[in-house]
Amino acid sequence: MNQEYSGGGDPAKSLELLWGLQARPTRGPKPALTVERIVDAATRIADAEGLAAMSMRRVADELGVGAMTLYRYVPGKGELLDVMLDSAYAELPLREVTGDWRKKLDEVARENRELYLRHPWMLYVATSRPPLGPGVMAKYEWELAAVEGIGLTDVEMDAAVALVNGYVHGAVRSAIDAKQVIQSSGITDKEWWEAHEPLLEKIGDAQKFPIASRVGTTVGQEFEAAYDSEHGFEFGLARVLDGIAALLADR
Amino acid sequence: MNQEYSGGGDPAKSLELLWGLQARPTRGPKPALTVERIVDAATRIADAEGLAAMSMRRVADELGVGAMTLYRYVPGKGELLDVMLDSAYAELPLREVTGDWRKKLDEVARENRELYLRHPWMLYVATSRPPLGPGVMAKYEWELAAVEGIGLTDVEMDAAVALVNGYVHGAVRSAIDAKQVIQSSGITDKEWWEAHEPLLEKIGDAQKFPIASRVGTTVGQEFEAAYDSEHGFEFGLARVLDGIAALLADR
DNA sequence: CCTCACTGAGTACGCTGTACGAGGTAACCG
DNA sequence: CGGTTACCTCGTACAGCGTACTCAGTGAGG
């Protein structure tokens, strides 16, 4: 059972950390750590072993210090996650894309997807109103720029970007969850459906749920054939972009 | 900081529970509990106090038994969550809707939305390949029926339903997260932006992130005016359905 | 009526985040 | 230069978690 966390740090404290607003005191011994080193270590652990493995003690071990030492640099685990998230978003290349809005939004979706695949733990941290760190701000600006000046209101621009981001988030999460289920259980989707066909038949599956059993079987087989998540992602993204295009065409 | 859980129960064991496949032994004392009573109690707690409050001890207290007693009925917390999820999905009315696919999918989205609003904890349980209990199967069948016979392949039908479901999931989760942030911090979005304007200005916000600061301010104000999540939901749903419509029009 | 499968639950283990406080270190001030 | 004082490190402790183990009590089948 995977534990998941929402950042949930005190927003004000997170902000101070994110923008490096703490006055470096002169008295006393030099700090052995920096917030950055802590964030890097924590991210390394979360990348390799998942969010559940990223405990304060584990991070401290990784850095060769006591667990409580971390609390000199970070108010708590929630704030640490906030900073981790912002740092990860700062990895986005934010390339300037030439072309129309659709090409730009496509790029936005793809870059976000790759970021999530690189840092799967991000998908399990609640990100509603994320702390406005430099990484998140830059990302938001970049994404809005894709739909700037195409005839949307400000609110619609925000909604369009949120729609694309939300889609990518959900799609990648589904793909990763599915992969993890396969890895942890050693059972592919196809095998799953086949193994439970007798059970479902006994229940009266085919009669009660004719469409579901037909579609489920087909989907299981297609996914087996490595047709897989790549195509599923493309399908959904195309629909989302088509939806935005339809809105623009109405104008 | 909220903990969250993925169902993650042993799929085989969850299935047995879901379909009630356990052979009721005759020897020994009558069981004092049923899986159903446990699921109901757990759901009640999760509804009222959130997923984090739903610990095994808490559920046991609610039922007036020892914590370990629950393990006589349920293999573990993961499987319990699986069953809770399936039971909750079984609450969907699954009304037969007359009309075209769009009207039907719209109904699917709305019913799912209300279910999530009634049981917010569902949004924080990972649901990829949820255990195929009776509730989930019936829901899947109902949703697929909305897009049956309109010219989509089986894989596309699954993808379309997943797209709508994913959208609703993300949208409702965002709305609930936002509401919780406001409740727990007592700060509205507008106040948030206003309170941090000096900070962001000092950073060089307006110069570095012109679009973001403009759109962010506007969105904050609109949301303040209770324009709010309802309209945001409608906008996104309309785009998603438009996207599917565009696909059908191409044929 | 005896037997024994089954139920209930107390105790305990290892894990979590983090509050508290003791003890060491280094820069400032007189 | 010596004392003060702010700061850093981290051992200990606490409440809470999921759950493995174990043992006593129960009640129906033979």
Side-chain angles (χ1 to χ4, degrees), chain B residues 104-122:
Chain B
K104 290 180 187 168
L105 267 189
D106 199 81
E107 169 85 357
V108 166
R110 262 163 240 287
E111 287 297 345
N112 269 296
R113 177 165 186 256
E114 287 189 20
L115 181 66
Y116 289 138
L117 290 175
R118 213 156 50 231
H119 301 298
W121 54 268
M122 296 179 76

Side-chain angles (χ1 to χ4, degrees), chain A residues 4 15 129 141 181 189 196 212, chain B residues 15 129 141 181 189 196 212:
Chain A
E4 311 171 10
L15 265 196
R129 189 157 65 175
E141 177 79 14
V181 171
D189 272 303
H196 293 86
Chain B
L15 264 195
R129 188 158 64 176
E141 176 79 14
V181 171
D189 273 303
H196 292 85

Side-chain angles (χ1 to χ4, degrees), chain B residues 42-98:
Chain B
T43 301
R44 222 176 307 128
I45 294 170
D47 283 347
E49 305 169 46
L51 250 197
M54 196 221 90
S55 70
M56 295 302 268
R57 285 173 176 84
R58 182 79 180 69
V59 174
D61 277 359
E62 186 85 3
L63 292 166
V65 300
M68 293 316 294
T69 299
L70 302 183
Y71 288 87
R72 288 275 143 205
Y73 301 85
V74 160
K77 190 178 179 179
E79 288 82 0
L80 174 56
L81 278 164
D82 283 343
V83 184
M84 287 171 66
L85 217 51
D86 193 81
S87 297
Y89 279 127
E91 288 180 17
L92 283 170
L94 309 188
R95 275 192 292 272
E96 204 142 338
V97 180
T98 55

Side-chain angles (χ1 to χ4, degrees), chain A residues 215-237:
Chain A
V215 172
T217 307
T218 306
V219 170
Q221 284 168 357
E222 295 283 346
F223 267 61
E224 180 73 9
Y227 171 84
D228 213 3
S229 66
E230 189 76 36
H231 282 77
F233 180 79
E234 299 296 334
F235 175 88
L237 180 57

Side-chain angles (χ1 to χ4, degrees), chain B:
Chain B
M1 174 170 39
N2 296 324
Q3 256 124 315
E4 312 172 11
Y5 303 90
S6 69
D10 182 333
K13 288 183 181 171
S14 291
L15 264 195
E16 284 178 21
L17 278 178
L18 286 164
W19 294 98
L21 293 186
Q22 20 195 9
R24 260 285 281 119
T26 54
R27 292 280 265 275
K30 291 269 156 59
L33 265 43
T34 61
V35 173
E36 199 189 338
R37 281 193 60 202
I38 295 175
V39 169
D40 285 351
T43 301
R44 222 176 307 128
I45 294 170
D47 283 347
E49 305 169 46
L51 250 197
M54 196 221 90
S55 70
M56 295 302 268
R57 285 173 176 84
R58 182 79 180 69
V59 174
D61 277 359
E62 186 85 3
L63 292 166
V65 300
M68 293 316 294
T69 299
L70 302 183
Y71 288 87
R72 288 275 143 205
Y73 301 85
V74 160
K77 190 178 179 179
E79 288 82 0
L80 174 56
L81 278 164
D82 283 343
V83 184
M84 287 171 66
L85 217 51
D86 193 81
S87 297
Y89 279 127
E91 288 180 17
L92 283 170
L94 309 188
R95 275 192 292 272
E96 204 142 338
V97 180
T98 55
D100 62 353
W101 64 268
R102 185 163 185 139
K103 201 171 162 195
K104 290 180 187 168
L105 267 189
D106 199 81
E107 169 85 357
V108 166
R110 262 163 240 287
E111 287 297 345
N112 269 296
R113 177 165 186 256
E114 287 189 20
L115 181 66
Y116 289 138
L117 290 175
R118 213 156 50 231
H119 301 298
W121 54 268
M122 296 179 76
L123 298 164
Y124 301 86
V125 180
T127 58
S128 102
R129 188 158 64 176
L132 296 176
V136 168
M137 281 296 284
K139 167 182 144 81
Y140 189 38
E141 176 79 14
W142 177 63
E143 290 166 346
L144 286 173
V147 292
E148 169 83 330
I150 62 172
L152 296 179
T153 66
D154 283 355
V155 172
E156 284 171 341
M157 285 172 61
D158 179 75
V161 164
L163 181 63
V164 172
N165 280 338
Y167 168 68
V168 173
H169 190 106
V172 177
R173 175 155 172 168
S174 288
I176 286 178
D177 279 353
K179 196 190 296 176
Q180 280 181 348
V181 171
I182 292 175
Q183 275 186 353
S184 71
S185 69
I187 302 170
T188 65
D189 273 303
K190 190 185 174 192
E191 288 166 356
W192 168 263
W193 278 92
E194 281 170 357
H196 292 85
E197 212 169 329
L199 165 64
L200 295 175
E201 233 163 77
K202 199 166 65 179
I203 306 296
D205 177 39
Q207 295 99 44
K208 270 192 216 157
F209 314 117
I211 313 177
S213 56
R214 189 195 73 219
V215 172
T217 307
T218 306
V219 171
Q221 284 169 357
E222 295 281 347
F223 267 62
E224 180 73 10
Y227 171 84
D228 214 5
S229 66
E230 189 75 36
H231 282 76
F233 180 79
E234 298 297 335
F235 175 87
L237 180 57
R239 298 293 75 70
V240 168
L241 296 181
D242 279 356
I244 297 173
L247 174 69
L248 292 171
D250 272 358
R251 299 285 155 92

